[in-house]
Amino acid sequence: MKEIVPVPPAIVRNDYESIRELFTKNVVPSYGRFELALSHGAGSYVFDVAGKRYLDLGTGIAVCCLGHAHPAITEALVEQSKKLIHVSNLYFTEPQGRLAAELVKRIGPGKVFFCNSGAEANEGLYKLARKFGHDEGRFEILTATNSFHGRTLAGIAATGQDKVKKGFEPAVPGFRHIPFNDLETARAAISPATVAILIEGVQGEGGVTPATPEYLLGLRALCDEKKLLLLMDGVQCGHYRTGKFQSFQKILEGEVGQASSLSGLDRQGACATNFLPDGLSMAKSLGGGFPIGAFWVRAPYQDLLNAGTHGTTYGGTPLACAVALKILEVIEQEKLAEQAQKLGAWLKSEIERLAKTYPTVVKSARGMGFILGIELAEKIPAFAASDKTPALQFVNRLHAAGVLTVPAGNQIVRLLPALNLKPQEAGEGISKVEEVVKSLA
Ligand SMILES: *Cc1c(COP(=O)(O)O)cnc(C)c1O
């Protein structure tokens, strides 16, 4: 179906220019922004200030898990804000207690701490690890190359990508990187100071790379053997994006009963059916666009961060928790996890079809559920003239076609749709992606 996009009148076009001017004059230029000013949205569609409509397959980088302007979120915000927005963690509030219980129910025995962002949730995990190892003088956390853990000072030290560290040295001490999905190197990297290993279940910023089941089970066994905490960053790949609440639940799903074939790993308690990390960070989709972060700590360590050791003013406000509770309710009622799993599998098969049909443009399909990557081929001739990365140029062409996506690295374009994306919208997205791919072939 061809969409008729009205040519914006000059006065409207000036809205973008005037907004950009406000940014140029007043906003710290730490982001490379696209030439788009967005004004409103509904479901999986957003509109720019000129009135052009986009199918949003990026959802603010895996955040707006129910799309835009969802009535249930609006209602939760309105209703809770009439009662209490914030009281501080000097007091108990029901929404925070209930949300913690809902998260524990979905992950496993343990407790939850609430904060405001992914970087802050990971920061809590670093502190948990330091507290855990403190009396033995252990403090070092191993993280993966190509990982992403946020932009705080400790976050960029943890992140396994040089580009986020450059210019901010000296790095916070106590982080070392190991290659992802490589168990033997992880084992060899452990020093007497090592206290924890932190990985993403599916590397997001690094280019949509899932951990293998063997890696997860192997790290669990290794951490048990060496008395290390196994920490997982579920900020991007969590919250049902893979089809299960957490990515490790999805990755290990097919492994049930197969642990014994994994050369004795099960004897060390690392079998797929009872796999749990020791700490897990969440944010992004947890609040569907309302800022909230959290980390879960497995039962044996759940009281390590005792009174006075950690805190944040806004962590777990009644308002944020009411929104997060409502989102979980909608996901469950509308069976959106199954939707993400099924529709995600279809999207991936379509990207695989594009890779077969247009191998000079699309190299492969990556990921699972609604965390997917289109890996672009090397040296696409149409991209040679610009010094922008292929991923950026592809994303820009998709903007022109009316689709929002998110680049990851130089070669990968991410699809991170809302969990309530409709089949017909997925179809529209793929045909627009195919249009762009075709024009490059
Ligand atoms: C986005 C992200 C973070 C950082 O979250 P913020 O809310 O931006 O601080 C951390 N880890 C992963 C895997 C992420 O994708």
Side-chain angles (χ1 to χ4, degrees), residues 103-105 107-111 276-278 296-302:
L103 296 178
V104 165
K105 190 172 98 188
I107 303 165
K111 290 183 182 174
L276 280 175
D278 299 310
W296 165 91
V297 185
R298 194 163 69 88
Y301 314 108
Q302 65 187 14

Side-chain angles (χ1 to χ4, degrees), residues 117-120 122 148-151 200 205 233 235-236 283-284:
S117 69
E120 201 188 345
N122 286 329
F148 182 80
H149 300 298
R151 295 287 195 146
E200 292 157 85
E205 300 302 309
D233 180 337
V235 170
Q236 186 164 154
K284 292 203 162 98

